[in-house]
Amino acid sequence: MGPEAIGRWRHRWQSRQAELAAAEESGVSDLELERLILKVLADGPRTGAPPRFEAHQVAQLFALACELPEKSGVPFSHWTPGALARELVKRGIVDSISGRQVGRFLNGGRYSAAQGEVLAAKHARGPGALRRGNSGHLRALRAGIDPPRTGRPSHQL
């Protein structure tokens, strides 16, 4: 935490010190005092636009990403962010979303995605890696397990 943030928290605490002391002296319950302290320490309103996507929409995005594309009639073995975006709009989950935004949700770390990698770009180890005819790799990826090792270094896959 930087000095500015520390100063902001210290100022927030000091500005409400009299209120906290008065509540403590009045004999409020420990639970009420704890609620008051948490209210003092709560984050203030954030600047900027409100979020465009609600939590349930993001959850549906992750659920869709975990489905096989063939189930939706998409001719891919793995979802791409663009294909996911088109399917989300087609299903009416969102009004509009870009493939780039889908990628941000899946890669951003703000939301937890399903275990295992689901996007084709995550599995590719160079141009044409998924098209090399190694069906064992694709079966393993669909099953959510690590692909069998080929003995070649990963940078050559």
Side-chain angles (χ1 to χ4, degrees):
M1 204 181 261
E4 296 87 15
I6 293 170
R8 197 169 31 248
W9 285 103
R10 184 181 297 142
H11 174 73
R12 189 180 295 177
W13 184 259
Q14 288 174 342
S15 69
R16 306 283 296 271
Q17 194 65 36
E19 180 184 350
L20 291 169
E24 188 175 27
E25 288 175 13
S26 71
V28 297
S29 70
D30 288 346
L31 182 60
E32 287 297 318
L33 188 59
E34 182 180 341
R35 285 185 183 151
L36 184 57
I37 290 170
L38 290 175
K39 186 178 175 183
V40 169
L41 295 177
D43 282 338
R46 303 254 175 189
T47 61
R52 253 189 92 205
F53 302 100
E54 296 179 21
H56 71 90
Q57 291 172 311
V58 176
Q60 289 176 312
L61 181 155
F62 287 133
L64 178 60
C66 292
E67 289 180 14
L68 289 174
E70 295 128 8
K71 186 176 176 184
S72 299
V74 179
F76 303 130
S77 61
H78 293 80
W79 286 109
T80 63
L84 275 170
R86 287 187 295 277
E87 189 65 22
L88 289 165
V89 172
K90 179 179 164 187
R91 290 186 182 191
I93 295 170
V94 296
D95 293 329
S96 68
I97 189 170
S98 68
R100 186 170 177 160
Q101 182 62 46
V102 168
R104 282 189 205 110
F105 280 126
L106 294 175
N107 296 324
R110 181 174 173 192
Y111 299 94
S112 299
Q115 292 296 319
E117 297 170 339
V118 294
L119 297 177
K122 292 284 187 179
H123 298 294
R125 303 274 190 238
L130 292 174
R131 296 186 301 267
R132 289 204 181 108
N134 191 338
S135 59
H137 278 78
L138 291 177
R139 274 194 298 275
L141 293 171
R142 283 190 191 120
I145 57 176
D146 288 334
R149 300 276 178 205
T150 61
R152 292 183 291 180
S154 63
H155 67 275
Q156 292 181 352
L157 287 177

